[in-house]
Amino acid sequence: MTQSKPRRGLQTRIVRAEDQVTPGFESFAVPVARASTVVFPDLATMRSLDWRNDGQWRYGLHATPTSLVLAQRLAAIEGGNHALLQPSGLSAISNVYFGLVKAGDDVLIPDNVYSPNREHGDWLARDFGITVRYYDPMIGAGIADLIQPNTRLIWLEAPGSVTMEVPDVDAITAAARARNVITAIDNTWSAGLAFRPFEHGVDISVQALTKYQSGGGDVLMGATITVERELHVKLKAARMRMGIGVSSDDCSLILRSLPSMQVRFEQHDRSALALAKWLKTRPEIAAVLHPALPDCPGHEFYERDFTGAGGLFSVVFDGRYTPAQIDTFCESLELFSIGWSWGGAHSLVMPYDIASMRTAAQWPHRGTLVRFYIGLEEEADLRADMERSLGTLV
Ligand SMILES: *Cc1c(COP(=O)(O)O)cnc(C)c1O
């Protein structure tokens, strides 16, 4: 076979080596396919490829066999048909704006949205000629009154970041569909496991894969998931024009964690719910904002629409404690680290000044809000740690 070919120099033979991976080797791991260049067998093939088709390889930035497997599994988890990977959850959010909204359009955003989404919307409103308006997350069917002829996109988050109100998703999407407005939900809290957005009329689901899908606190990635191909293609066009992609190495880390996601989620859920219920009995706590408990606004929609809760919830401390005392409480916890993001094995804590974050809905509480992420440590140890730190409040 090589006889007809000229004898080439060592460097050429190393670069253009003709060895093949041992045929018949199979493993459970999805192979990591690294590529910038994708090689075409001939020019006719190259010219025939359509960027809209996910399985047609054109350029490493757009997809590899590794990233496509991850995208397909994510779509399957959520009950969608297509998933588009992004280098972070926020990038997936940004891609929804750039894929669907143009100057002159109007966007409705829940007041309790993930803060960087809010900053993104405000930026586009300031510099790119769209309008954004914030709505009370408990607005329900009342959203119909806010929809204008130029309203293009309605964001939802269920439950909302930090304050945990659970919206009536069905009522909001019904109003949006009646007026041909696209809806996008940030579904990160439920990991796509405990809430199935496409069964509730949502068009686009956004996941920060950085959280439970990674599960390690070590990878950043995001995704948009859709049922409709047309929407997927619009988002894909925006991603392509912005030059955004993900690495197969990162995809393989997420693929490694994905099979254990459901059992991790259920364990986080068990510990978090037990601790939330215990906190409710404590005199230091004014309200426990856990969607599975009745203090949480929209608890009835959680009961109607969700099958579980994971590890993230918040509490509001009694108003007699100063923010400085709550800071001391947070810092004196030994098994809860102070840090952004969540979804890994380690428990986290973060205090928030909610009143300064709201513009549409009145925040009813006086005390400081603290958000807990319950990791995979022993629940009894976490409880003892909380109890000891509550002792710093006098
Ligand atoms: C973390 C998070 C994001 C953003 O994810 P990154 O990968 O950190 O950009 C988006 N939405 C929610 C609800 C999140 O918790």
Side-chain angles (χ1 to χ4, degrees), residues 177-325:
R177 286 199 170 228
R179 303 277 292 275
N180 256 330
V181 179
I182 296 167
T183 51
I185 193 166
D186 187 330
N187 200 25
T188 302
W189 185 83
S190 86
L193 295 173
F195 178 75
R196 301 183 64 76
F198 305 121
E199 292 170 13
H200 297 273
V202 176
D203 295 309
I204 301 170
S205 179
V206 170
Q207 285 291 336
L209 309 176
T210 308
K211 308 292 167 54
Y212 292 120
Q213 288 82 354
S214 154
D218 55 355
V219 191
L220 286 145
M221 206 179 290
T224 50
I225 296 149
T226 51
V227 171
E228 299 297 332
R229 183 166 187 268
E230 192 195 328
L231 267 180
H232 174 68
V233 166
K234 278 188 177 146
L235 297 173
K236 196 173 178 184
R239 190 187 69 162
M240 188 167 64
R241 288 169 189 147
M242 290 198 281
I244 290 169
V246 298
S247 86
S248 292
D249 295 271
D250 285 350
C251 291
S252 100
L253 288 172
I254 300 211
L255 281 165
R256 202 170 189 272
S257 301
L258 219 47
S260 66
M261 179 165 76
Q262 173 131 2
V263 288
R264 285 185 280 114
F265 188 84
E266 286 168 4
Q267 181 56 45
H268 291 297
D269 188 356
R270 270 192 296 278
S271 296
L273 190 57
L275 290 168
K277 284 179 175 165
W278 173 74
L279 283 163
K280 180 67 191 156
T281 68
R282 296 289 309 199
E284 299 90 345
I285 304 295
V288 177
L289 304 176
H290 185 301
L293 298 180
D295 279 358
C296 191
H299 167 65
E300 66 273 29
F301 304 122
Y302 172 85
E303 295 274 289
R304 186 188 70 187
D305 298 341
F306 285 69
T307 56
L312 198 70
F313 69 94
S314 297
V315 299
V316 181
F317 277 83
D318 191 281
R320 68 180 179 273
Y321 304 118
T322 64
Q325 281 179 294

Side-chain angles (χ1 to χ4, degrees), residues 271-393:
S271 296
L273 190 57
L275 290 168
K277 284 179 175 165
W278 173 74
L279 283 163
K280 180 67 191 156
T281 68
R282 296 289 309 199
E284 299 90 345
I285 304 295
V288 177
L289 304 176
H290 185 301
L293 298 180
D295 279 358
C296 191
H299 167 65
E300 66 273 29
F301 304 122
Y302 172 85
E303 295 274 289
R304 186 188 70 187
D305 298 341
F306 285 69
T307 56
L312 198 70
F313 69 94
S314 297
V315 299
V316 181
F317 277 83
D318 191 281
R320 68 180 179 273
Y321 304 118
T322 64
Q325 281 179 294
I326 303 305
D327 284 357
T328 302
F329 163 79
C330 292
E331 289 180 340
S332 68
L333 288 163
E334 288 172 2
L335 293 176
F336 291 79
S337 304
I338 297 168
W340 305 117
S341 213
W342 44 273
H346 298 79
S347 291
L348 300 168
V349 64
M350 191 65 77
Y352 288 88
D353 175 14
I354 300 300
S356 72
M357 296 161 64
R358 292 305 190 90
T359 55
Q362 180 81 21
W363 177 241
H365 299 285
R366 203 161 64 82
T368 299
L369 181 146
V370 170
R371 186 179 77 174
F372 294 107
Y373 168 67
I374 306 303
L376 297 176
E377 302 91 344
E378 302 275 340
E379 182 216 311
D381 292 330
L382 296 174
R383 184 184 307 219
D385 194 29
M386 283 180 169
E387 192 159 23
R388 192 187 43 75
S389 289
L390 286 170
T392 66
L393 297 170

Side-chain angles (χ1 to χ4, degrees), residues 6 15 24 27 37 49 88 91 120 126 137 140 149 155-156 235 259 272 290 322 328 341 357 365 376 383:
V15 172
S27 77
T37 306
L49 295 175
S88 68
S91 173
H120 201 288
R126 206 167 48 242
W155 277 104
L156 298 99
L235 297 173
H290 185 301
T322 64
T328 302
S341 213
M357 296 161 64
H365 299 285
L376 297 176
R383 184 184 307 219

Side-chain angles (χ1 to χ4, degrees), residues 147-184:
I147 297 176
Q148 301 171 353
N150 67 335
T151 302
R152 174 86 176 130
L153 172 69
I154 299 176
W155 277 104
L156 298 99
E157 199 170 314
S161 277
V162 186
T163 47
M164 298 289 161
E165 299 91 339
V166 185
D168 184 347
V169 175
D170 293 307
I172 293 174
T173 58
R177 286 199 170 228
R179 303 277 292 275
N180 256 330
V181 179
I182 296 167
T183 51

Side-chain angles (χ1 to χ4, degrees), residues 126-147:
R126 206 167 48 242
D127 294 346
F128 292 82
I130 70 163
T131 55
V132 299
R133 289 175 297 142
Y134 294 94
Y135 67 87
D136 180 339
M138 300 317 296
I139 198 168
I143 195 90
D145 299 335
L146 297 181
I147 297 176

